[in-house]
Amino acid sequence: MLLQKDLNPALNTVTAYGDGFLEINRVRYDGAVCFAPEGPVRGVALRAAADIDAAFLQELVGLKTAARDPLAFLDDQPPAIERPDDAPEVLLIGTGPRQTFLRPDVLRPLLALGIGVETMTTQAAARTYNILMSEERRVLALLLPGDPS
């Protein structure tokens, strides 16, 4: 299905999707991809939403563990996570042809830092990404195309 007729060559836009593929800026991708409005479209080694864990999402959005006080273990506190200035407002996760919710413990670190996480079908995530991108929102998309069967 064709999604976007006009392209701004400076911004990553989902231009089409279908069974088992995604098209970003008229370039076809047969696997999972991650991208923001600006920057590269990165291939991601994911086959299913069940493969997503908290550490993967934190790395994906660029979160880093803050320098820890050497005596922090006395307070039994987990390491603090720093939110970078360019962190997305929202992470859209397209889970393929069927919506799959992620476990709360996977989402908790991002939500605690004010980063919204939405899981939906890949088609819905692609359309939502294009809308948010056109509104100049700081959005990050992680799209799994699903099986072409």
Side-chain angles (χ1 to χ4, degrees):
M1 169 181 281
L2 181 65
L3 284 184
Q4 194 78 14
K5 187 174 181 180
D6 298 324
L7 289 177
N8 177 344
L11 299 176
N12 291 321
T13 304
V14 180
T15 49
Y17 56 76
D19 291 335
F21 80 93
L22 298 159
E23 190 179 278
I24 303 5
N25 300 333
R26 296 192 176 136
V27 175
R28 182 183 171 117
Y29 295 89
D30 292 319
V33 292
C34 178
F35 56 95
E38 297 179 312
V41 177
R42 299 175 285 160
V44 180
L46 285 177
R47 303 291 294 155
D51 299 334
I52 299 172
D53 62 17
F56 174 80
L57 291 182
Q58 289 177 35
E59 181 180 328
L60 194 70
V61 300
L63 300 182
K64 297 178 180 146
T65 302
R68 187 173 172 145
D69 176 0
L71 298 177
F73 71 93
L74 296 172
D75 295 329
D76 197 29
Q77 295 293 323
I81 298 174
E82 291 181 0
R83 177 187 169 134
D85 293 335
D86 63 346
E89 295 172 43
V90 66
L91 169 62
L92 298 175
I93 302 175
T95 59
R98 290 184 186 85
Q99 183 179 25
T100 303
F101 292 104
L102 301 180
R103 295 184 327 270
D105 62 299
V106 172
L107 304 176
R108 195 169 291 119
L110 274 66
L111 297 174
L113 293 173
I115 299 172
V117 182
E118 297 291 336
T119 58
M120 55 192 78
T121 67
T122 295
Q123 292 83 359
R127 292 187 302 267
T128 303
Y129 167 83
N130 280 351
I131 292 167
L132 294 176
M133 178 267 308
S134 71
E135 294 174 348
E136 299 180 4
R137 302 278 302 274
R138 287 191 329 264
V139 59
L140 182 66
L142 171 61
L143 304 180
L144 288 74
D147 292 325
S149 52

